Every structure is written in structure tokens, then in C-alpha cells.
Amino acid sequence: MDLFTLPDFDGHEQVVFGHDRATGLRAIIAIHSTALGPAAGGCRMWAYPSSDEALTDALRLSRGMSYKNAMAELAFGGGKAVILGDARAHKTPALLQAFGRLVDALGGRYITAEDVGTTTADMQQVAGQTRFVSGLARASGEVGGDPGPKTALGVFLGIRSAVRFQMGRSLEGLTVAVQGLGGVGHPLCRLLAADGARLKVADARPELLAQVREELDATAVAVDGILEEEADVLAPCALGAVLNERSIPRLRVRVVAGAANNQLAREGDGEALMKAGILYAPDYVINAGGIINVAHEYYGGSSEAAVRAAIEKIPERLTLIFERARRESLPTSAVADQMARERLRAGRAG
Ligand code: NAD
């Protein structure tokens, strides 16, 4: 395998392979860009079938973080770490500490945080070895901690702006189908319900589904039916690649706007949505509330009000994308990528 000719290699600045014999740590850290600041992005722990697949994920996700951080106007570049292994079976404090030493050896070029397979508590272990970590447990009143509710706030505001753009109205009385009721989906449902939206919800965990149905008078939908449900808005808040050649022709909504990362299975799916007359809020723009929270925690000296003010810029940014997409007859996903690349280029030149 030749790293520099892999399809997902995008001029990444640095890729580090880390191994620790004592704990069995096998990790890859990909630094896509530091043009706008230290490369920031979470640490994913996953039982990858091979190190090639782990490398592909690190390359792809780190580029995604460059775009996300650039569009959120943060002083962060893009990076991502992956630890190879089953989080339930192989994650130990010693392994996380070894990962912390690997991060520390990069001297601040990469800042880590929680992601799929790691938690706020795990980052506490990492923090024992390096200061280049964010997303730590916080005492109440301090900025930082669980990014889920902040991501939910940004997604909620983004849904409102997408509905305003596409339908010229508020959310009152509209129906939103929410796929996934976890750390983001559940607080998102609360915000939507408080704003007068009706909810159709699905989750693979029946206890979460029952809780949201009772708390918010939501209609429960089967997991395999939520993408085809008739509604005004679909908010994917569970998995990636849910928008694909199979699902797009079956969608019965006018707006897709949710938290999940990498919602489009392929680049061409953005065009398919546009042709179907569905307004798509690019995932990494609408779901930036969590990384905004992480940035404010990392740089310190901030307040909840400042975090909120930064998250409140997400709808303005989306509206800019929607307008440019309409003007240039381009998919919103392509416009977001263009804008992110423009910002990275300006950062490199500056
Ligand atoms: P989570 O793990 O807390 O919740 C995901 C939920 O989706 C779970 O309750 C799970 O049971 C459910 N689910 C899984 N498969 C499903 C299916 N096929 N149909 C319906 N439900 C299903 O994760 P989260 O933190 O809420 O994040 C949700 C998504 O948003 C993920 O894609 C994540 O990468 C993305 N995201 C999260 C944040 C954040 O701040 N947490 C930030 C940016 C992006």
C-alpha cells in the first residue's frame, strides 16, 4: 500500500502510526491541516478489520475535521485519531495513557477529544499524560464537558433556518422525523417540541424510544421505516451514509438536516437530493456545536454565553450556503466543500 497515492490522501501534513508494546495500543493520528491552528478532532476506537481500513478512516475523518473547523471559524485545523480495537474489550486506563503519550509527543500539533468508542471519562485518563486534550468532564457552570446538547442546539437552529429558507415559515405545526435519540437526538427533540414541532422518532434502543415518546408525545416509528416516513424535515442523528441511492428516492420530506457525520454515502448523493427538490443542510456545518464547545473549553477564558453566541452563527452560515447553492445551481454539499477549501487556502496564504 502506498499512502501518498491512496484515494483518501488529500495532501495531509502528517500521519503518525503509534504502537505501545506494554498495553497493546495501536493507533493512527492523521493531521490533515494546521493552516488555521492546531489540528483538532476526536479519537475514535473501533474494531477495524485491518490497519488499511483504520488509515482510510483517519485520512477521511481528519479532512472532514479541517472542513468542519474552517466552516465554524475556529482557530483549529483538522485532525483525527483512531485506536484499533474493540472499545468494550480492549480499552484500559493504561492503553488510554499510552495514547495520551503519543498525542503529547506531537507537541500540540494535534488536540484530541472523545468520539465514537471513547468517552469524557476516557479523556480524563488521556489528560494525565498530555495537555493537548479537550472534552473533559466539567463542574457545572464551567464551559466544556458533554458536547451533545451543544450539537443539538446548533442542529435545532440550523433546522429552523433550513425550514425558513425552503418553506418560508416557522417550525410550528411542522413534523420532524428524528433518527436516533442519543446524546444529540434526545435534546434536539426537546428543543423541537418546545418550538411547536410534531415529532416522529426512531431508535434502535426501545427504552430510549419509550422515554421520548412519553416525555414529548412523539410518534414512535420502526427503525427501518423512519427514512421513508412522511414529514417536513428528516433529522438523521444516528449513523453515517444514510443518504444514498437507495434511500434518496424514497424520502418524503422537503428538508434533511441532522447531526450525524458523513450523511451522504457518496459525493453524488448531494446532487440527487438537489434534483429531488430536497434542501440538505451539510452535516459538518450544522453539527459544529460540539466542536465549538470543545474549542471554547480548550482555549479557556470563555463563558456559556460566548459558546451560545458562536453556535448561533450556524444558521447564518447555512443560509449563506443555501443562497450560493441556489444562485450557482449547485448542491449545498458541494458549496460547503468549496467554501471550506477557500478558507483553508486563505489560512495557508495568511
Ligand atoms: P449516540 O451514540 O449517543 O446516539 C446515537 C443513537 O442512535 C443511539 O441511541 C442508537 O441506539 C441510535 N441508533 C443506532 N442505529 C440506529 C438506527 N439504524 N436507527 C435509529 N436509531 C439508531 O450518538 P450521538 O452523540 O447522539 O451522535 C449522533 C450522531 O451525531 C453520530 O453520527 C455522531 O457522529 C454525530 N455527531 C455527534 C456530535 C456530539 O456532540 N455528540 C457532534 C457531531 C456529530
Side-chain angles (χ1 to χ4, degrees):
M1 182 199 48
D2 179 358
L3 167 66
F4 299 108
T5 59
L6 285 179
D8 288 295
F9 181 74
D10 179 51
H12 287 68
E13 289 179 16
Q14 193 174 7
V15 180
V16 176
F17 293 78
H19 177 241
D20 180 65
R21 193 184 295 276
T23 60
L25 173 77
R26 290 183 301 147
I28 302 173
I29 299 176
I31 296 178
H32 176 257
S33 168
T34 56
L36 300 173
C43 170
R44 177 166 293 195
M45 183 159 185
W46 193 255
Y48 293 99
S50 69
S51 52
D52 284 5
E53 280 166 73
L55 174 61
T56 298
D57 219 22
L59 291 174
R60 205 170 42 84
L61 293 169
S62 59
R63 185 183 80 154
M65 287 310 300
S66 284
Y67 286 15
K68 180 186 288 203
N69 293 337
M71 288 304 286
E73 294 175 38
L74 298 173
F76 273 164
K80 199 86 182 182
V82 299
I83 297 178
L84 288 80
D86 181 340
R88 273 169 299 188
H90 304 133
K91 194 165 66 181
T92 60
L95 180 134
L96 291 164
Q97 288 158 13
F99 173 70
R101 290 192 292 277
L102 181 66
V103 171
D104 201 59
L106 291 168
R109 284 175 54 72
Y110 167 66
I111 298 162
T112 198
E114 65 170 278
D115 195 68
V116 176
T118 61
T119 63
T120 306
D122 295 339
M123 290 306 124
Q124 219 69 50
Q125 293 288 346
V126 173
Q129 308 296 319
T130 184
R131 62 195 163 91
F132 305 119
V133 54
S134 195
L136 304 172
R138 292 280 141 167
S140 78
E142 282 182 312
V143 168
D146 180 10
K150 298 299 190 310
T151 303
L153 174 62
V155 171
F156 166 66
L157 298 172
I159 289 176
R160 280 215 302 210
S161 68
V163 164
R164 170 86 40 212
F165 187 85
Q166 180 81 329
M167 302 161 80
R169 54 166 297 171
S170 75
L171 270 174
E172 177 83 44
L174 293 188
T175 302
V176 183
V178 182
Q179 181 191 40
L181 305 170
V184 181
H186 192 170
L188 172 64
C189 285
R190 289 198 183 113
L191 293 167
L192 291 166
D195 209 39
R198 285 187 243 269
L199 297 171
K200 290 183 173 180
V201 295
D203 196 289
R205 285 150 63 189
E207 71 283 6
L208 275 180
L209 190 63
Q211 196 185 342
V212 173
R213 200 183 52 205
E214 276 160 41
E215 180 190 331
L216 302 171
D217 197 22
T219 305
V221 175
V223 162
D224 55 8
I226 189 78
L227 295 176
E228 297 169 19
E229 201 54 44
E230 186 165 3
D232 299 288
V233 179
L234 169 67
C237 297
L239 321 158
V242 289
L243 304 172
N244 52 50
E245 56 188 2
R246 226 175 65 83
S247 66
I248 292 171
R250 299 179 190 197
L251 295 177
R252 293 196 289 159
V253 294
R254 296 194 58 199
V255 170
V256 176
N261 283 312
N262 304 315
Q263 289 171 38
L264 302 177
R266 296 169 310 122
E267 231 174 88
D269 294 320
E271 191 165 354
L273 285 167
M274 180 178 78
K275 288 192 172 144
I278 297 169
L279 182 66
Y280 169 63
D283 46 16
Y284 61 82
V285 181
I286 194 171
N287 73 13
I291 191 76
I292 289 170
N293 197 46
V294 160
H296 281 249
E297 175 186 329
Y298 185 75
Y299 285 116
S302 190
S303 64
E304 277 297 316
V307 173
R308 200 184 159 94
I311 293 173
E312 282 170 355
K313 292 199 174 141
I314 290 175
E316 294 165 30
R317 228 165 263 143
L318 284 170
T319 305
L320 275 181
I321 293 169
F322 298 153
E323 284 168 350
R324 183 158 152 187
R326 181 179 281 174
R327 237 184 4 254
E328 299 180 11
S329 302
L330 285 172
T332 51
S333 49
V335 168
D337 287 356
Q338 269 180 11
M339 285 169 80
R341 281 195 291 266
E342 283 160 17
R343 287 179 191 199
L344 287 173
R345 265 199 301 275
R348 268 184 217 116

